[in-house]
């Protein structure tokens, strides 16, 4: 019987997933962990067909736990299941090695569908991200990595520096900084400086 490991600190999520599996007539064994310590302990004891991982864990960044899981268990399928901003975090999940991403706003039957796809060795990401990846569009943050200059600028932006301050620090024009910023936002899918700072934080660990 296939086993699922849910890593989420909200007990109601486990209840909802268990109910969805029962409604879909899926005989999966569902284990749960509230933090990274419990998750790694479960992984050391059992073989799981799928790990469902929330990003917003209280004690550890979920994307960092994703890296740790895949470092110890490289072949382990991991589905990111979170309420965080889809456009930014779906890209980060893909870049981090996850096998799928679903926002918690999606219907539960969509989650069960993802379980089956990943169980069979597939991937499950939002359609827009799959389309971007397939056509190699420059609008995709994975297929169009940031240049060294863009990485430098995103770091300064994340530290709270203005365009003008960055221009003075790097001895370039304000217009050039503005152009780089637009390209960074386009490539990462971030919509504002708050999301950009989150992207920069994760880039430090990729």
């Amino acid at each position: 019987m296939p086993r699922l490991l849910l890593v989420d600190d909200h007990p109601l999520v486990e209840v909802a997933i268990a109910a969805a599996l029962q409604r879909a007539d899926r005989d999966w064994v569902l284990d749960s962990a509230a933090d990274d310590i419990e998750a790694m302990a479960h992984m050391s004891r059992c073989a799981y067909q799928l790990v469902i991982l929330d990003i917003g864990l209280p004690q550890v960044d979920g994307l960092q736990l994703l890296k740790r899981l895949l470092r110890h268990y490289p072949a382990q399928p991991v589905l990111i299941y979170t309420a965080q901003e889809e456009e930014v975090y779906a890209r980060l999940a893909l870049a981090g090695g996850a096998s799928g991403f679903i926002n918690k706003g999606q219907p539960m039957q969509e989650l069960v569908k993802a379980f089956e796809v990943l169980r069979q060795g597939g991937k499950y990401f939002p359609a827009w991200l799959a389309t971007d990846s397939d056509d190699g569009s420059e609008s995709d943050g994975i297929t169009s990595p940031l240049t060294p200059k863009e990485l430098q600028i995103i770091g300064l932006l994340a530290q709270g520096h203005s365009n003008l301050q960055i221009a003075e620090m790097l001895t370039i024009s304000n217009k050039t900084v503005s152009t780089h910023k637009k390209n960074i936002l386009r490539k990462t899918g971030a919509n504002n400086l708050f999301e950009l700072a989150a992207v920069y934080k994760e880039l430090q660990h990729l």
Side-chain angles (χ1 to χ4, degrees):
M1 190 176 295
R3 300 185 74 97
L4 288 168
L5 175 61
L6 170 67
V7 186
D8 195 304
D9 64 316
H10 293 95
L12 288 179
V13 175
E14 180 183 4
V15 173
I17 291 176
L21 290 169
Q22 187 174 24
R23 284 195 302 271
D25 197 25
R26 298 289 192 275
D27 292 326
W28 292 60
V29 176
L30 178 62
D31 294 334
S32 66
D35 56 36
D36 57 322
I37 296 174
E38 286 186 26
M40 297 307 292
H42 275 294
M43 293 294 296
S44 69
R45 292 194 297 265
C46 299
Y48 289 96
Q49 277 64 49
L50 178 62
V51 173
I52 311 154
L53 176 61
D54 183 20
I55 290 175
L57 297 172
Q59 304 298 328
V60 66
D61 182 279
L63 290 174
Q64 294 313 305
L65 179 53
L66 169 66
K67 301 289 175 49
R68 195 190 315 171
L69 283 168
L70 295 180
R71 196 160 54 239
H72 289 279
Y73 308 96
Q76 176 65 59
V78 179
L79 173 70
I80 299 298
Y81 184 53
T82 182
Q84 301 281 6
E85 173 66 35
E86 179 177 286
E87 189 168 352
V88 173
Y89 285 93
R91 296 175 189 274
L92 291 173
L94 178 59
S99 297
F101 178 99
I102 288 190
N103 186 276
K104 285 183 175 178
Q106 295 294 319
M108 292 303 293
Q109 57 262 37
E110 190 79 11
L111 185 63
V112 175
K113 179 181 177 183
F115 293 168
E116 295 296 341
V117 171
L118 270 63
R119 180 188 176 190
Q120 296 169 19
K123 304 285 186 181
Y124 203 94
F125 286 93
W128 58 265
L129 183 55
T131 301
D132 284 350
S133 299
D134 289 343
D135 66 15
S137 168
E138 288 188 1
S139 65
D140 178 55
I142 305 305
T143 58
S144 299
L146 300 178
T147 66
K149 179 63 71 177
E150 289 167 348
L151 286 170
Q152 187 179 24
I153 289 175
I154 191 178
L156 293 171
L157 288 168
Q159 293 168 27
H161 295 293
S162 68
N163 286 17
L164 186 58
Q165 289 173 325
I166 294 171
E168 293 174 350
M169 294 167 71
L170 301 182
T171 322
I172 56 179
S173 72
N174 189 32
K175 182 177 180 181
T176 299
V177 175
S178 180
T179 299
H180 280 306
K181 183 178 177 180
K182 288 178 182 177
N183 288 336
I184 292 167
L185 291 169
R186 172 174 55 81
K187 288 181 178 182
T188 61
N191 295 306
N192 51 52
L193 287 177
F194 177 79
E195 291 179 2
L196 204 58
V199 170
Y200 177 70
K201 177 184 174 184
E202 297 306 329
L203 285 173
Q204 304 315 293
H205 304 283
L206 293 180

